[in-house]
Amino acid sequence: QDFYKNIGAELRYLQEYNLKGQKHTLASGVRWFSGNTDRKQQGKGSTGDDYSVALLPETTFNRDLNYHNENFAVFSEGIFRITNRLLFTGGLRYEWIQANASGRLGYTNGVENLLGDISRTRQFVIAGIGAEYHPTATSELYTNFSQAYRPILFGDLTPPATTDVIDNN
């Protein structure tokens, strides 16, 4: 069973302005997110015919983990029109991410196997550029290059099972 508590907000500002006879656009903003996942696994439930997520009264979840993620970003992007048919875009984004995990992985010989408090923090800047050309009123050619990042996954914070075997083939 997973229980989620997430909240986030994003504030954007859009400004259009004229320069050298062309309309240009600047977009900027901030983003904040806080997410919590309470994960409970490997509990013993009933063997009845009806769907139920209830545990048997004398049991508990063997695995009881808590994951928390905080994310903050600041970004800015511009659209620069060179002519009515040609435009360029460019943008930057700063990201700050913190992921935390804690809880119980299970039991070994009746003793709790605790995950401990694990925390990973990253911050980086990513960028993107692009161009558009409109040869006619109904056609468009475009290209772009943009960076991205791989988020910290829950699996990155949880140690792998020691009994897993990977086939070399």
Side-chain angles (χ1 to χ4, degrees), residues 25-125:
T25 306
L26 179 66
S28 57
V30 295
R31 178 184 182 274
W32 169 76
F33 172 81
S34 178
N36 196 75
T37 300
D38 186 16
R39 178 163 290 166
K40 298 180 182 309
Q41 296 175 317
Q42 300 175 349
K44 293 183 180 179
S46 72
T47 58
D49 293 340
D50 294 331
Y51 174 79
S52 173
V53 294
L55 294 179
L56 295 175
E58 67 278 3
T59 64
T60 184
F61 286 103
N62 287 333
R63 182 170 294 149
D64 188 355
L65 300 171
N66 184 272
Y67 300 105
H68 184 76
N69 184 307
E70 291 280 335
N71 175 244
F72 175 76
V74 178
F75 57 90
S76 184
E77 178 179 327
I79 301 175
F80 309 100
R81 291 171 180 84
I82 307 306
T83 68
N84 288 337
R85 294 182 176 207
L86 178 65
L87 65 89
F88 292 97
T89 60
L92 289 173
R93 183 178 187 95
Y94 165 78
E95 291 273 351
W96 176 87
I97 302 169
Q98 184 176 53
N100 304 296
S102 62
R104 181 180 59 241
L105 292 168
Y107 293 94
T108 304
N109 297 327
V111 178
E112 281 186 315
N113 182 5
L114 297 176
L115 177 61
D117 293 331
I118 297 174
S119 182
R120 302 278 190 274
T121 302
R122 299 189 305 164
Q123 55 185 341
F124 46 85
V125 175

